[in-house]
Amino acid sequence: MGQTRSDLSHSTATTGGAKWKSSDTPHRLSISRFRSKRKPRSEQLSRNPMRNKVLSCLGRRKRYPSQTEEDSGPGTEAADPAVRRGHRAGKLPRDEAASASGEYRAATGCFEASSGLGGHVEAVQLAVNREATAAGAPGLETRSGETSVSGCEEPSPGVRENHASDPPAGDMEHQPVGGSYENRFVSGFGTGLSLNPLLTSDPDAERTSTCSPPDQHLCGGLTILGDRMKGEMTKTESSAGDQNNGCLDGSESVKHPEQTSQSPPRQSFPGTIPKLIITRDTSPIRCQSTTALPTDQTSCLDLQAEDESPCSDSGCGGSPALMRTPRKLSTSSSIGLSSASSFEESEDDFTGSDIESSLSPTRSLCSAGDGSGSKSWSKLKSMVHFSPLAFTLKPRHSWVQLAGHTGSFTAGDGGRLLKRYCECEQQCLEQLMKDVLRPYVPGYYGVLQKDEQDFNIMDDLLTDFDMPSIMDCKMGSRTCLEEELIKAKECQRLRRDMYEKMISVDPAAPTEEERAQQGVLKPRYMRWRETLSSTATLGFRIEGIKKGDGSCNTSFKKTKQREQVVKAFEDFVDGNVQILKSYLKRLEELRSVLEKSDFFRTHEVVGSSLLFVHDASGKASVWMIDFGKTVPLPPSMTLDHRTPWVEGNREDGYLWGMDNLIDIFGSMLPRTPCDGDQNSEEA
Ligand SMILES: Nc1ncnc2c1ncn2[C@@H]1O[C@H](COP(=O)(O)OP(=O)(O)OP(=O)(O)O)[C@@H](O)[C@H]1O
Ligand SMILES: O=P(O)(O)O[C@@H]1[C@H](O)[C@H](O)[C@@H](OP(=O)(O)O)[C@H](OP(=O)(O)O)[C@H]1O
């Protein structure tokens, strides 16, 4: 108790399907989804100039039947089907943190956190917070109240990261994650592409998700603000459709935890309806841009942030030999509050000034970019806040997506995660299952085809933890694959979303030319990020930290100095020496195994993270995750992962980063009396 409405913020999508654990009477609240003014599919598609180069990869993805060539929308590339992106819809903003639930059920916006918990969904709260990252950035929406209250650190202006991209229309929206798996494992894939990635950038705003305190109590009656919503939002009984994830197809529900995904009790809501207040958040709607396009014919301005970048691990940047399926849409760059698709859904549902005005008068539709001409994207998003009024909901395990592209994950059965299919990652995980690194990566279980989307099935590493604290550290001294650089040279594709993200962190960062173009090349942006953070100086960077108390911080873009890193680590472990020691031990073991691993020796490992997880019981571990940009080397080549990178040597600095990480963790341990004695003697 004692929480404000803001504590319990949800995106509309995330609310649906959430199962809530109540202390007493089980009850279920289902809210039918709003379906108003669905955004034309044309706005949910983006163009991909590299598509013609990755067509062979695309067959592994299915296209939504409803998507047509016209759907590509306007733009120089749109008319050409060959340049339209179609593979991996749903690369969503990265700089958001998502409470599991939100992301889990990205497709339908429903929570699902049954992994390892007997089907109890306890993920609770998810909110995306957009704030101006650059001090004084005009018009940027600030939702500090929600953020801070919900436990997410409120970074100071200028320090906070920008999260330029908005969630592209989640194609996962079309995936009724709900029903039991009638999906099938596939050896072959769809014949089309997922073309929905759309949307994108919302460069002006920084996105931070509020992570719900795991022990928060939710009480309340259900209140829906806005006449229109009142008219459309109805309380419904659940139906069989939510067997697997507690979500009804086309409905959002709040469930009692006792309602396992296997056999959800069908009963009407017995008591006070939780208060549900719907407000909205900005997310990209297309505003009229007055920005002049670059005239340089060798480059193209990526108007749609979600457009696949040629150097994205989405696959366009993949080596021809690898033939990876594009994994992500370039929309992202902000930490994905996993509920990206939720947002997408929200956008569809609530786009409309009528609703906007009644819901959140303090927020503008278009943030910083409005009217300026330089910032052409903004988006209307919906947020749902649960007000603690009537019943208590205490989550035990809420899956959290701390970093990465939103919309990439959904829930699997039995403590497993479904991550949007990426052939590169599939191949790595398959090999890793046979490598000495096997204990240090999530278990991999193959590919699942679910509706129109393929997923890699892997272990949810949070399953065995109770209210876990999580940290994502992106490893290596660079974040662009060499092949990405090559592709980028071939097609100088300007990224407006990255430009927007850049200026929101540091308005002085772009060159005059970039300013004139209102866009930057991806490698240039990536390098800027590397040097702004500790990637270039320490060989790793912190992407996000979510603590067991629910607080969440994804504002580490400027965390560069060792002292800053130490401070963040100290905060993460809360001064618990035992946990520190456990992490150190695990890191040392991992380093030792990495040095022996055939897989590691023969792969360029870029953009991969170490996921640190511990809980109050003292359990702590570290795993390697994200192999979307881990590519095999030519047969005769190996890496030591410590040699400084020069273009062509493929070195990634992974072990150099491990060395620094281990050194920092070691230095944080208190000196024991024995150490002191030893030092005295030595002195
Ligand atoms: N196996 C897992 N178990 C638990 N959580 C996971 C797992 N894999 C990923 N996550 C969560 O999802 C986040 C993003 O994961 P990941 O890096 O794989 O996504 P991504 O979209 O590929 O990222 P990027 O955009 O950096 O390539 C992680 O920070 C972590 O919070
Ligand atoms: O962290 P930020 O500042 O948001 O920037 C993103 C980050 O560098 C990601 O690693 C990158 O994805 P990949 O590693 O998959 O390339 C993404 O590129 P993208 O927008 O092309 O996906 C960037 O936008």
Side-chain angles (χ1 to χ4, degrees), residues 571-584:
D571 179 55
F572 174 56
V573 300
D574 256 338
N576 188 322
V577 175
Q578 210 44 55
I579 286 170
L580 209 50
K581 283 182 177 170
S582 297
Y583 278 141
L584 184 57

Side-chain angles (χ1 to χ4, degrees), residues 94 313 327-328 399-405 408-409 417 419 442 458-462 472 474 611 625-626:
R94 294 170 43 81
D313 58 347
R327 186 169 72 93
K328 301 171 183 174
W399 185 81
V400 172
Q401 180 182 347
L402 202 49
H405 299 87
S408 293
F409 293 90
L417 276 182
K419 182 174 177 182
M458 64 185 75
D459 280 330
D460 174 359
L461 299 169
L462 308 186
D472 182 312
K474 187 169 283 220
L611 193 68
I625 60 166
D626 194 359

